[in-house]
Amino acid sequence: MEESTALRETPLFRGLSPAQIEKMIGISRELTFGPNQLIMAEGETGDAMYVLRHGTVEIVKSLVLSGLDEVPPEQSKTFTRLSAENGEAVFGEIALLEEAKRTATVSTVTECRVNEIRKGDFLKLAEKDFELGYRVLLNLAGIVSSRLRRADEDIIKLTTVLSIVLKD
Amino acid sequence: MEESTALRETPLFRGLSPAQIEKMIGISRELTFGPNQLIMAEGETGDAMYVLRHGTVEIVKSLVLSGLDEVPPEQSKTFTRLSAENGEAVFGEIALLEEAKRTATVSTVTECRVNEIRKGDFLKLAEKDFELGYRVLLNLAGIVSSRLRRADEDIIKLTTVLSIVLKD
């Protein structure tokens, strides 16, 4: 019960009944990692998403094509920390939609406990409980859509800077 | 019947039964536009998506912040044409997920016939038919997710170019 209360706070499970959250827990695998361990690597193909239940992870994302060695690594990557406490503790969730390459590397900072949910298991469950599938996807699509909006804004800013720089 | 056959080909309705496609038609409003008419304007708040049933539209998207008048308009925008014939004829679909500002301007090139589907009507229908809601959202989330992946790739390319340019 304590488990499902914590999971209900994750944005991905908003609107699910306690019974539906239990079903999501039922298809998930609980994993424990020590500090400084790799959970997923950028460029790998992933078919699972993760809910961070305990601990802090660091998300590292390349900003510059690799092999460009004149750019120091700390200027060519973004670093974000995610803690189980902040209620937005979901990562790798695009893997529920398509088997795409991971766009970030995620490693543990502290000891972490995560629930791993695989795409195939989620789709099988959703085909049996369409309401659950609908509500999870509504939340997931909202998360992806707001990220797309932010990415579009970043592209406009970058192209603007580039236009100014190239004029000089 | 001819209507639902054409709509079944749009990627957003993949997996829907003919009866479910009829329901989607039932909540949509059929609109006809002459050539060179505005369907939606960038920056406006939208709460409807469109399925292009007949004709060709042009999608214009800003790449550079407005007010930067040293950049000629043809270099600061992208132009894409969408025809009813190519089966990917859906636009404004993010409005089904959130009431966000339109990120592109869409105008007709030829005479066009479109089906307009409003967010509120879709959500009401999905709450009555979760299978329909699940299948539409699975398709929609896949479309948005692959766009996010492309946007992320563009950001990496732009940041790389900018790093190279700023080094010189």
Side-chain angles (χ1 to χ4, degrees), chain A residues 61-65 68 70-72 94 97-98 100 103 123 126-127 130-131 133-135 137-138 141-142 144-149 151-152 154-156 158-167, chain B residues 61-65 68 70-72 94 97-98 100-101 103 123 126-127 130-131 133-135 137-138 141-142 144-149 151-152 154-156 158-167:
Chain A
K61 207 165 145 47
S62 292
L63 272 182
V64 173
L65 291 173
L68 202 77
E70 64 259 43
V71 183
I94 289 182
L97 300 174
E98 41 175 8
T103 57
L123 293 179
E127 289 289 334
F130 289 119
E131 182 184 350
Y134 166 70
R135 298 211 188 282
L137 283 184
L138 194 62
V144 177
S145 157
S146 72
R147 275 203 213 155
L148 175 60
R149 208 147 28 84
D152 278 340
D154 285 346
I155 288 173
I156 291 186
L158 284 166
T159 321
T160 304
V161 172
L162 203 55
S163 305
I164 295 169
V165 168
L166 291 176
K167 282 275 151 185
Chain B
K61 207 165 143 49
S62 292
L63 272 183
V64 172
L65 291 174
L68 203 76
E70 64 259 43
V71 183
I94 288 181
L97 300 175
E98 41 174 7
K101 291 209 162 100
T103 57
L123 293 180
E127 289 287 334
F130 289 120
E131 182 183 350
Y134 167 69
R135 299 211 187 283
L137 283 185
L138 194 61
V144 177
S145 156
S146 72
R147 277 205 211 153
L148 175 60
R149 208 147 29 84
D152 278 341
D154 285 346
I155 288 173
I156 291 185
L158 283 166
T159 321
T160 305
V161 172
L162 204 54
S163 305
I164 295 169
V165 167
L166 291 177
K167 282 275 150 185

Coordinates of all heavy atoms in Angstrom, one line a residue, chain A residues 61-65 68 70-72 94 97-98 100 103 123 126-127 130-131 133-135 137-138 141-142 144-149 151-152 154-156 158-167, chain B residues 61-65 68 70-72 94 97-98 100-101 103 123 126-127 130-131 133-135 137-138 141-142 144-149 151-152 154-156 158-167:
Chain A
K61 N 23.3 14.2 -21.1 CA 22.8 14.3 -22.4 C 23.9 15.0 -23.3 O 24.3 16.1 -22.9 CB 21.5 15.0 -22.4 CG 20.5 14.7 -23.5 CD 19.2 15.3 -23.1 CE 18.4 15.8 -24.3 NZ 18.4 14.9 -25.4
S62 N 24.3 14.4 -24.4 CA 25.2 15.1 -25.3 C 24.5 16.2 -26.0 O 23.4 16.1 -26.4 CB 25.7 14.1 -26.4 OG 26.5 13.2 -25.8
L63 N 25.3 17.3 -26.1 CA 24.8 18.5 -26.9 C 25.5 18.6 -28.2 O 25.1 19.4 -29.1 CB 24.9 19.8 -26.1 CG 23.8 20.1 -25.1 CD1 24.1 21.4 -24.5 CD2 22.4 20.2 -25.9
V64 N 26.7 18.0 -28.3 CA 27.5 18.1 -29.5 C 27.9 16.7 -30.0 O 28.0 15.8 -29.2 CB 28.8 18.9 -29.1 CG1 29.8 19.0 -30.2 CG2 28.4 20.3 -28.6
L65 N 27.9 16.6 -31.3 CA 28.3 15.3 -31.9 C 29.6 14.8 -31.3 O 30.5 15.6 -31.2 CB 28.4 15.5 -33.4 CG 27.1 15.7 -34.2 CD1 27.4 16.0 -35.6 CD2 26.2 14.5 -34.1
L68 N 34.1 15.5 -31.7 CA 34.5 16.9 -31.9 C 35.4 17.3 -30.7 O 35.0 17.9 -29.7 CB 33.2 17.8 -31.9 CG 33.3 19.1 -32.6 CD1 33.3 18.9 -34.1 CD2 32.2 20.0 -32.2
E70 N 37.7 19.2 -29.9 CA 38.1 20.6 -29.5 C 37.1 21.2 -28.4 O 37.4 22.2 -27.8 CB 38.3 21.6 -30.6 CG 37.1 21.9 -31.5 CD 37.1 21.1 -32.8 OE1 37.4 19.9 -32.7 OE2 36.8 21.7 -33.8
V71 N 36.0 20.5 -28.3 CA 35.0 21.1 -27.3 C 35.2 20.3 -26.0 O 35.1 19.1 -26.0 CB 33.5 20.9 -27.8 CG1 32.6 21.5 -26.8 CG2 33.4 21.6 -29.2
P72 N 35.5 21.0 -24.9 CA 35.6 20.3 -23.6 C 34.3 19.6 -23.2 O 33.2 20.2 -23.4 CB 36.0 21.4 -22.6 CG 36.0 22.7 -23.3 CD 35.6 22.4 -24.7
I94 N 10.1 7.2 -23.1 CA 9.8 7.1 -24.5 C 9.9 5.7 -25.0 O 9.2 5.3 -26.0 CB 10.7 8.0 -25.3 CG1 10.3 9.5 -25.0 CG2 10.7 7.8 -26.8 CD1 11.1 10.5 -25.8
L97 N 6.8 3.9 -26.0 CA 6.2 4.2 -27.3 C 6.9 3.6 -28.5 O 6.3 3.2 -29.4 CB 6.2 5.7 -27.4 CG 5.4 6.5 -26.3 CD1 5.6 8.0 -26.5 CD2 3.9 6.1 -26.4
E98 N 8.2 3.6 -28.5 CA 9.0 3.0 -29.6 C 10.3 2.5 -29.1 O 10.8 3.0 -28.1 CB 9.1 4.1 -30.7 CG 9.5 5.5 -30.2 CD 9.8 6.5 -31.3 OE1 9.6 6.2 -32.5 OE2 10.2 7.6 -30.9
A100 N 13.5 3.0 -29.4 CA 14.4 4.0 -30.0 C 15.7 4.0 -29.2 O 15.7 3.5 -28.1 CB 13.8 5.4 -30.0
T103 N 18.4 8.6 -25.5 CA 19.0 10.0 -25.8 C 19.8 10.5 -24.7 O 20.3 11.7 -24.7 CB 17.9 11.0 -26.3 OG1 17.0 11.0 -25.2 CG2 17.2 10.5 -27.5
L123 N 2.1 -2.9 -23.0 CA 1.2 -3.1 -24.1 C 0.2 -4.2 -23.9 O -1.0 -4.1 -24.2 CB 1.9 -3.2 -25.4 CG 2.7 -2.0 -25.9 CD1 3.4 -2.2 -27.2 CD2 1.8 -0.7 -26.0
A126 N -2.2 -3.1 -21.3 CA -3.2 -2.1 -21.8 C -4.2 -2.7 -22.7 O -5.4 -2.3 -22.7 CB -2.4 -1.0 -22.6
E127 N -3.8 -3.8 -23.4 CA -4.8 -4.5 -24.3 C -5.9 -5.2 -23.5 O -7.0 -5.5 -24.0 CB -4.1 -5.5 -25.2 CG -3.3 -4.9 -26.3 CD -4.1 -4.2 -27.4 OE1 -5.3 -4.6 -27.7 OE2 -3.6 -3.3 -28.1
F130 N -8.1 -1.3 -21.2 CA -7.9 -0.1 -22.1 C -8.0 1.2 -21.3 O -7.3 2.2 -21.7 CB -9.0 -0.1 -23.2 CG -8.8 -1.2 -24.2 CD1 -9.8 -2.2 -24.4 CD2 -7.6 -1.2 -25.0 CE1 -9.6 -3.2 -25.3 CE2 -7.4 -2.2 -25.9 CZ -8.4 -3.2 -26.1
E131 N -8.8 1.2 -20.2 CA -8.8 2.5 -19.4 C -7.4 2.8 -18.8 O -7.0 3.9 -18.9 CB -9.9 2.4 -18.3 CG -9.9 3.7 -17.5 CD -10.9 3.6 -16.3 OE1 -11.6 2.6 -16.1 OE2 -10.8 4.6 -15.5
G133 N -4.6 1.8 -20.0 CA -3.7 2.1 -21.2 C -4.0 3.6 -21.6 O -3.0 4.3 -21.8
Y134 N -5.2 3.9 -21.7 CA -5.6 5.3 -22.1 C -5.0 6.3 -21.1 O -4.4 7.3 -21.5 CB -7.1 5.4 -22.2 CG -7.7 6.8 -22.3 CD1 -7.5 7.5 -23.4 CD2 -8.3 7.4 -21.2 CE1 -7.9 8.8 -23.5 CE2 -8.8 8.7 -21.3 CZ -8.6 9.4 -22.5 OH -9.1 10.7 -22.6
R135 N -5.2 6.1 -19.8 CA -4.8 7.1 -18.8 C -3.3 7.2 -18.8 O -2.7 8.3 -18.7 CB -5.3 6.8 -17.4 CG -6.9 6.8 -17.4 CD -7.5 7.2 -16.1 NE -8.9 7.0 -16.1 CZ -9.8 7.8 -16.7 NH1 -9.3 8.9 -17.3 NH2 -11.1 7.6 -16.7
L137 N -1.2 6.6 -21.3 CA -0.8 7.2 -22.5 C -1.1 8.7 -22.5 O -0.4 9.5 -23.1 CB -1.4 6.5 -23.7 CG -0.7 5.2 -24.1 CD1 -1.3 4.6 -25.4 CD2 0.8 5.3 -24.3
L138 N -2.2 9.1 -21.9 CA -2.6 10.5 -21.9 C -1.5 11.3 -21.1 O -1.1 12.3 -21.5 CB -4.0 10.6 -21.2 CG -4.7 12.0 -21.4 CD1 -5.0 12.3 -22.9 CD2 -6.0 12.0 -20.6
A141 N 1.8 11.1 -23.2 CA 1.8 11.9 -24.4 C 1.9 13.4 -24.0 O 2.6 14.2 -24.7 CB 0.5 11.7 -25.2
G142 N 1.4 13.7 -22.9 CA 1.5 15.1 -22.4 C 2.9 15.5 -22.0 O 3.4 16.5 -22.3
V144 N 5.7 14.0 -23.3 CA 6.4 14.0 -24.5 C 6.1 15.3 -25.3 O 7.0 15.9 -25.8 CB 6.2 12.8 -25.3 CG1 6.9 12.8 -26.7 CG2 6.6 11.5 -24.6
S145 N 4.9 15.7 -25.3 CA 4.5 16.9 -26.0 C 5.1 18.1 -25.4 O 5.5 19.0 -26.2 CB 2.9 16.9 -26.0 OG 2.5 18.2 -26.2
S146 N 5.1 18.2 -24.1 CA 5.7 19.5 -23.5 C 7.2 19.5 -23.7 O 7.8 20.5 -23.9 CB 5.3 19.6 -22.0 OG 6.0 18.7 -21.3
R147 N 7.8 18.3 -23.8 CA 9.3 18.2 -24.1 C 9.5 18.7 -25.5 O 10.5 19.3 -25.8 CB 9.8 16.8 -24.0 CG 10.2 16.6 -22.6 CD 11.2 15.4 -22.5 NE 10.9 14.7 -21.3 CZ 11.2 13.4 -21.1 NH1 11.7 12.7 -22.1 NH2 10.9 12.9 -20.0
L148 N 8.6 18.2 -26.5 CA 8.8 18.6 -27.9 C 8.6 20.1 -28.0 O 9.4 20.8 -28.7 CB 7.7 17.9 -28.7 CG 7.6 18.3 -30.2 CD1 8.9 18.0 -30.9 CD2 6.4 17.7 -30.9
R149 N 7.7 20.7 -27.2 CA 7.6 22.2 -27.3 C 8.8 22.9 -26.8 O 9.3 23.8 -27.5 CB 6.4 22.6 -26.4 CG 5.7 23.9 -26.9 CD 4.2 23.9 -26.7 NE 3.9 23.1 -25.5 CZ 3.9 23.5 -24.3 NH1 4.3 24.8 -24.0 NH2 3.5 22.7 -23.3
A151 N 11.9 21.6 -26.9 CA 12.9 21.4 -27.9 C 12.7 22.3 -29.1 O 13.7 22.9 -29.6 CB 12.9 19.9 -28.4
D152 N 11.5 22.5 -29.5 CA 11.2 23.5 -30.6 C 11.7 24.9 -30.3 O 12.2 25.6 -31.1 CB 9.7 23.5 -31.0 CG 9.3 22.3 -31.9 OD1 10.2 21.7 -32.5 OD2 8.1 22.0 -31.9
D154 N 14.1 25.6 -28.2 CA 15.6 25.6 -28.2 C 16.1 25.7 -29.6 O 17.1 26.4 -29.8 CB 16.1 24.3 -27.5 CG 16.0 24.3 -26.0 OD1 15.7 25.4 -25.5 OD2 16.1 23.2 -25.4
I155 N 15.4 25.0 -30.6 CA 15.9 25.1 -32.0 C 15.8 26.5 -32.5 O 16.7 27.1 -33.1 CB 15.0 24.1 -32.8 CG1 15.5 22.7 -32.5 CG2 15.2 24.4 -34.3 CD1 14.6 21.6 -33.2
I156 N 14.7 27.2 -32.1 CA 14.5 28.6 -32.6 C 15.6 29.5 -32.0 O 16.2 30.3 -32.7 CB 13.1 29.1 -32.2 CG1 12.0 28.4 -33.1 CG2 13.0 30.7 -32.4 CD1 10.6 28.9 -32.9
L158 N 18.6 28.6 -30.9 CA 19.9 28.2 -31.5 C 20.1 28.7 -32.9 O 21.1 29.2 -33.3 CB 20.1 26.7 -31.5 CG 20.4 26.0 -30.1 CD1 20.2 24.5 -30.2 CD2 21.9 26.4 -29.7
T159 N 19.0 28.6 -33.7 CA 19.1 29.1 -35.1 C 19.2 30.6 -35.1 O 19.9 31.2 -35.9 CB 17.8 28.7 -35.9 OG1 17.5 27.4 -35.5 CG2 18.0 28.7 -37.3
T160 N 18.5 31.3 -34.1 CA 18.7 32.7 -34.0 C 20.1 33.1 -33.7 O 20.7 34.0 -34.4 CB 17.7 33.3 -32.9 OG1 16.4 32.8 -33.2 CG2 17.7 34.8 -32.8
V161 N 20.7 32.5 -32.7 CA 22.1 32.8 -32.3 C 23.0 32.5 -33.5 O 23.9 33.4 -33.8 CB 22.5 31.9 -31.1 CG1 24.0 32.1 -30.8 CG2 21.7 32.3 -29.9
L162 N 22.8 31.4 -34.2 CA 23.6 31.1 -35.3 C 23.5 32.1 -36.5 O 24.5 32.5 -37.1 CB 23.2 29.7 -35.9 CG 24.2 28.9 -36.7 CD1 25.5 28.7 -35.9 CD2 23.6 27.5 -37.0
S163 N 22.3 32.6 -36.7 CA 22.1 33.6 -37.7 C 22.8 34.9 -37.4 O 23.5 35.5 -38.2 CB 20.6 34.0 -37.8 OG 19.8 32.9 -38.1
I164 N 22.8 35.3 -36.1 CA 23.5 36.5 -35.6 C 25.0 36.3 -35.8 O 25.7 37.2 -36.3 CB 23.1 36.8 -34.2 CG1 21.6 37.2 -34.1 CG2 24.0 38.0 -33.6 CD1 21.1 37.3 -32.7
V165 N 25.5 35.1 -35.3 CA 26.9 34.9 -35.4 C 27.4 34.8 -36.8 O 28.5 35.4 -37.1 CB 27.2 33.5 -34.6 CG1 28.7 33.1 -34.9 CG2 27.0 33.6 -33.1
L166 N 26.7 34.2 -37.7 CA 27.1 34.1 -39.1 C 27.1 35.4 -39.8 O 27.8 35.6 -40.8 CB 26.3 33.0 -39.8 CG 26.5 31.6 -39.4 CD1 25.6 30.7 -40.1 CD2 28.0 31.2 -39.6
K167 N 26.3 36.4 -39.3 CA 26.2 37.7 -40.0 C 27.5 38.5 -39.7 O 27.9 39.3 -40.5 CB 25.0 38.5 -39.4 CG 23.7 38.1 -39.9 CD 23.3 38.8 -41.2 CE 22.5 37.9 -42.1 NZ 22.2 38.5 -43.4
Chain B
K61 N 6.9 27.4 -40.6 CA 7.4 27.3 -39.2 C 8.5 28.3 -39.1 O 9.5 28.2 -39.9 CB 7.8 25.9 -39.0 CG 7.7 25.4 -37.6 CD 7.9 23.9 -37.6 CE 8.7 23.4 -36.4 NZ 8.3 24.0 -35.1
S62 N 8.5 29.1 -38.1 CA 9.6 30.1 -37.9 C 10.8 29.3 -37.3 O 10.7 28.4 -36.5 CB 9.2 31.1 -36.9 OG 8.3 32.0 -37.4
L63 N 12.0 29.7 -37.8 CA 13.2 29.1 -37.3 C 14.0 30.1 -36.5 O 14.9 29.8 -35.8 CB 14.1 28.6 -38.4 CG 13.8 27.2 -38.9 CD1 14.8 26.8 -40.0 CD2 14.0 26.2 -37.8
V64 N 13.7 31.4 -36.7 CA 14.4 32.4 -36.0 C 13.4 33.3 -35.3 O 12.3 33.5 -35.7 CB 15.2 33.2 -37.1 CG1 15.8 34.5 -36.5 CG2 16.2 32.4 -37.8
L65 N 13.8 33.8 -34.1 CA 12.9 34.7 -33.3 C 12.5 35.9 -34.2 O 13.3 36.5 -34.9 CB 13.7 35.2 -32.1 CG 14.0 34.2 -31.0 CD1 14.9 34.8 -29.9 CD2 12.7 33.7 -30.4
L68 N 14.1 39.9 -35.8 CA 15.5 39.8 -36.2 C 15.5 40.2 -37.7 O 15.6 39.3 -38.5 CB 16.0 38.4 -36.0 CG 17.5 38.3 -35.8 CD1 18.0 38.8 -34.4 CD2 18.0 36.9 -36.0
E70 N 17.4 41.5 -39.8 CA 18.5 41.3 -40.8 C 18.5 39.9 -41.4 O 19.3 39.7 -42.4 CB 19.9 41.5 -40.1 CG 20.3 40.6 -39.0 CD 20.0 41.2 -37.6 OE1 19.0 41.8 -37.4 OE2 20.9 41.0 -36.8
V71 N 17.6 39.0 -41.0 CA 17.5 37.7 -41.6 C 16.4 37.7 -42.6 O 15.3 38.0 -42.2 CB 17.3 36.6 -40.6 CG1 17.3 35.2 -41.2 CG2 18.4 36.6 -39.5
P72 N 16.6 37.4 -43.9 CA 15.5 37.4 -44.9 C 14.5 36.3 -44.5 O 14.9 35.2 -44.1 CB 16.2 37.1 -46.2 CG 17.7 36.9 -45.9 CD 17.9 37.1 -44.5
I94 N -1.1 18.1 -31.7 CA -0.7 18.3 -30.3 C -1.8 18.9 -29.5 O -1.9 18.7 -28.3 CB 0.6 19.1 -30.3 CG1 1.8 18.2 -30.8 CG2 1.0 19.6 -28.9 CD1 3.1 18.8 -30.8
L97 N -3.6 17.0 -26.9 CA -2.9 16.7 -25.7 C -2.9 17.9 -24.7 O -3.0 17.7 -23.5 CB -1.5 16.3 -26.0 CG -1.3 15.0 -26.9 CD1 0.1 14.8 -27.2 CD2 -2.0 13.8 -26.2
E98 N -2.6 19.1 -25.3 CA -2.6 20.2 -24.4 C -3.0 21.5 -25.2 O -2.8 21.5 -26.4 CB -1.2 20.4 -23.8 CG 0.0 20.1 -24.8 CD 1.3 20.4 -24.2 OE1 1.5 20.7 -23.1 OE2 2.3 20.4 -25.0
A100 N -1.8 24.3 -26.2 CA -0.6 25.0 -26.4 C -0.7 25.9 -27.6 O -1.5 25.8 -28.4 CB 0.6 24.0 -26.5
K101 N 0.3 26.8 -27.6 CA 0.4 27.8 -28.8 C 0.7 27.0 -30.0 O 1.6 26.1 -30.0 CB 1.4 28.9 -28.5 CG 0.9 29.8 -27.4 CD 1.5 31.2 -27.6 CE 0.7 32.2 -26.8 NZ 1.3 32.6 -25.6
T103 N 2.6 25.9 -33.2 CA 4.1 26.1 -33.5 C 4.3 26.3 -35.0 O 5.4 26.4 -35.5 CB 4.9 25.0 -33.0 OG1 4.4 23.8 -33.7 CG2 4.9 24.8 -31.5
L123 N -11.7 14.0 -25.8 CA -11.6 13.4 -24.4 C -12.9 12.9 -23.9 O -12.9 11.8 -23.2 CB -11.1 14.5 -23.5 CG -9.6 15.0 -23.8 CD1 -9.2 16.1 -22.8 CD2 -8.6 13.9 -23.7
A126 N -13.4 9.5 -25.6 CA -12.4 8.5 -25.1 C -12.8 8.0 -23.7 O -12.6 6.9 -23.4 CB -11.0 9.1 -25.0
E127 N -13.5 8.9 -22.9 CA -13.9 8.5 -21.6 C -15.1 7.5 -21.7 O -15.4 6.7 -20.7 CB -14.3 9.7 -20.7 CG -13.2 10.6 -20.3 CD -12.3 10.0 -19.1 OE1 -12.8 9.1 -18.4 OE2 -11.1 10.3 -19.1
F130 N -12.8 3.6 -24.0 CA -11.3 3.7 -23.6 C -10.5 3.0 -24.7 O -9.3 3.4 -24.9 CB -11.1 3.0 -22.3 CG -11.7 3.8 -21.1 CD1 -12.6 3.3 -20.3 CD2 -11.2 5.1 -20.9 CE1 -13.1 4.1 -19.2 CE2 -11.7 5.9 -19.8 CZ -12.7 5.3 -19.0
E131 N -11.0 2.0 -25.3 CA -10.2 1.3 -26.4 C -9.9 2.3 -27.5 O -8.7 2.4 -27.9 CB -10.9 0.1 -26.9 CG -10.0 -0.6 -28.0 CD -10.7 -1.8 -28.6 OE1 -11.8 -2.2 -28.2 OE2 -10.1 -2.3 -29.6
G133 N -9.8 5.6 -27.2 CA -8.9 6.6 -26.7 C -7.5 6.0 -26.6 O -6.5 6.7 -27.0
Y134 N -7.3 4.8 -26.2 CA -6.0 4.2 -26.1 C -5.4 4.1 -27.4 O -4.2 4.4 -27.6 CB -6.2 2.8 -25.4 CG -4.9 1.9 -25.6 CD1 -3.8 2.2 -24.8 CD2 -4.9 0.8 -26.4 CE1 -2.7 1.4 -25.0 CE2 -3.8 0.0 -26.5 CZ -2.7 0.3 -25.8 OH -1.6 -0.5 -25.9
R135 N -6.1 3.6 -28.4 CA -5.5 3.4 -29.8 C -5.1 4.7 -30.4 O -4.0 4.8 -31.0 CB -6.4 2.6 -30.7 CG -6.7 1.2 -30.1 CD -6.9 0.1 -31.2 NE -7.3 -1.1 -30.6 CZ -6.5 -2.0 -30.0 NH1 -5.2 -1.7 -29.9 NH2 -7.0 -3.1 -29.4
L137 N -4.4 7.5 -28.9 CA -3.3 8.1 -28.1 C -2.0 7.3 -28.4 O -0.9 7.9 -28.4 CB -3.5 8.1 -26.6 CG -4.5 9.2 -26.2 CD1 -4.6 9.2 -24.6 CD2 -4.0 10.6 -26.6
L138 N -2.1 6.0 -28.6 CA -0.8 5.2 -28.9 C -0.3 5.7 -30.2 O 1.0 5.9 -30.3 CB -1.2 3.8 -29.0 CG -0.1 2.7 -29.0 CD1 0.8 2.8 -27.7 CD2 -0.6 1.3 -29.2
A141 N 1.0 9.5 -29.6 CA 2.2 9.6 -28.8 C 3.4 9.1 -29.7 O 4.5 9.6 -29.5 CB 2.0 8.7 -27.6
G142 N 3.2 8.1 -30.5 CA 4.3 7.7 -31.4 C 4.7 8.8 -32.4 O 5.9 9.0 -32.6
V144 N 4.3 12.1 -31.9 CA 5.0 13.1 -31.1 C 6.4 12.7 -30.7 O 7.3 13.5 -30.8 CB 4.1 13.5 -29.9 CG1 4.8 14.6 -29.1 CG2 2.7 14.0 -30.4
S145 N 6.5 11.5 -30.3 CA 7.8 10.9 -29.9 C 8.8 10.9 -31.0 O 10.0 11.3 -30.8 CB 7.5 9.6 -29.3 OG 8.7 8.8 -29.3
S146 N 8.4 10.6 -32.2 CA 9.4 10.5 -33.3 C 9.8 12.0 -33.7 O 10.9 12.2 -34.1 CB 8.9 9.7 -34.5 OG 7.9 10.4 -35.2
R147 N 8.8 12.9 -33.5 CA 9.2 14.3 -33.8 C 10.1 14.8 -32.7 O 11.0 15.6 -33.0 CB 7.9 15.2 -33.7 CG 7.2 15.2 -35.0 CD 6.3 16.4 -35.1 NE 5.2 16.1 -35.8 CZ 4.0 16.7 -35.8 NH1 3.8 17.6 -34.9 NH2 3.0 16.3 -36.5
L148 N 9.9 14.4 -31.5 CA 10.8 14.8 -30.4 C 12.2 14.3 -30.7 O 13.2 15.0 -30.5 CB 10.4 14.3 -29.0 CG 11.3 14.5 -27.8 CD1 11.5 16.0 -27.6 CD2 10.7 13.9 -26.6
R149 N 12.3 13.1 -31.2 CA 13.6 12.5 -31.5 C 14.3 13.3 -32.6 O 15.5 13.6 -32.5 CB 13.5 11.0 -31.9 CG 14.7 10.2 -31.6 CD 14.4 8.8 -31.2 NE 13.1 8.4 -31.8 CZ 13.1 7.9 -33.1 NH1 14.1 7.8 -33.8 NH2 11.9 7.5 -33.6
A151 N 13.8 16.5 -33.3 CA 14.1 17.8 -32.7 C 15.4 17.7 -31.9 O 16.3 18.6 -32.0 CB 13.0 18.3 -31.9
D152 N 15.5 16.6 -31.1 CA 16.7 16.4 -30.3 C 18.0 16.3 -31.2 O 19.0 16.8 -30.9 CB 16.6 15.2 -29.5 CG 15.8 15.4 -28.2 OD1 15.7 16.6 -27.8 OD2 15.3 14.5 -27.6
D154 N 18.3 17.6 -34.2 CA 18.5 19.0 -34.7 C 19.3 19.8 -33.7 O 20.2 20.6 -34.1 CB 17.2 19.7 -35.1 CG 16.6 19.1 -36.4 OD1 17.3 18.4 -37.1 OD2 15.4 19.4 -36.7
I155 N 18.9 19.7 -32.5 CA 19.6 20.5 -31.4 C 21.0 20.1 -31.4 O 21.9 21.0 -31.3 CB 18.9 20.3 -30.0 CG1 17.5 21.0 -30.1 CG2 19.7 20.8 -28.9 CD1 16.7 20.8 -28.8
I156 N 21.3 18.8 -31.4 CA 22.7 18.4 -31.4 C 23.5 18.9 -32.6 O 24.6 19.4 -32.4 CB 22.8 16.8 -31.3 CG1 22.3 16.4 -29.9 CG2 24.2 16.3 -31.5 CD1 22.4 14.9 -29.7
L158 N 22.8 21.6 -34.4 CA 22.9 23.1 -34.3 C 24.0 23.5 -33.3 O 24.8 24.4 -33.5 CB 21.6 23.7 -33.9 CG 20.5 23.8 -35.0 CD1 19.2 24.1 -34.5 CD2 20.9 24.9 -36.0
T159 N 24.0 22.8 -32.1 CA 25.0 23.1 -31.1 C 26.4 22.8 -31.6 O 27.3 23.5 -31.3 CB 24.6 22.3 -29.8 OG1 23.2 22.3 -29.6 CG2 25.3 23.0 -28.6
T160 N 26.5 21.7 -32.4 CA 27.8 21.3 -32.9 C 28.3 22.4 -33.9 O 29.4 22.9 -33.8 CB 27.7 20.0 -33.7 OG1 27.1 19.0 -32.8 CG2 29.0 19.5 -34.2
V161 N 27.4 22.8 -34.8 CA 27.8 23.9 -35.7 C 28.2 25.2 -35.0 O 29.2 25.8 -35.2 CB 26.6 24.2 -36.7 CG1 26.9 25.4 -37.6 CG2 26.4 23.0 -37.6
L162 N 27.4 25.5 -33.9 CA 27.7 26.7 -33.2 C 29.0 26.6 -32.5 O 29.8 27.6 -32.4 CB 26.5 26.9 -32.2 CG 26.3 28.3 -31.6 CD1 26.1 29.3 -32.7 CD2 25.1 28.3 -30.7
S163 N 29.3 25.4 -31.9 CA 30.6 25.2 -31.2 C 31.8 25.4 -32.2 O 32.8 26.1 -31.9 CB 30.7 23.8 -30.7 OG 29.7 23.5 -29.9
I164 N 31.6 24.9 -33.4 CA 32.7 25.0 -34.5 C 32.8 26.5 -34.9 O 33.9 27.0 -34.9 CB 32.3 24.2 -35.7 CG1 32.4 22.7 -35.3 CG2 33.3 24.4 -36.8 CD1 31.8 21.7 -36.4
V165 N 31.7 27.2 -35.1 CA 31.7 28.6 -35.6 C 32.3 29.5 -34.5 O 33.1 30.3 -34.8 CB 30.3 29.1 -35.9 CG1 30.2 30.6 -36.0 CG2 29.8 28.4 -37.2
L166 N 32.0 29.2 -33.2 CA 32.5 30.1 -32.1 C 33.9 29.8 -31.9 O 34.6 30.7 -31.3 CB 31.6 29.8 -30.8 CG 30.2 30.4 -30.9 CD1 29.4 30.0 -29.6 CD2 30.1 31.9 -31.2
K167 N 34.5 28.7 -32.2 CA 35.9 28.4 -32.1 C 36.8 29.2 -33.0 O 37.9 29.6 -32.7 CB 36.2 26.9 -32.4 CG 35.8 26.0 -31.2 CD 36.9 25.8 -30.2 CE 36.2 25.6 -28.9 NZ 37.2 25.5 -27.8

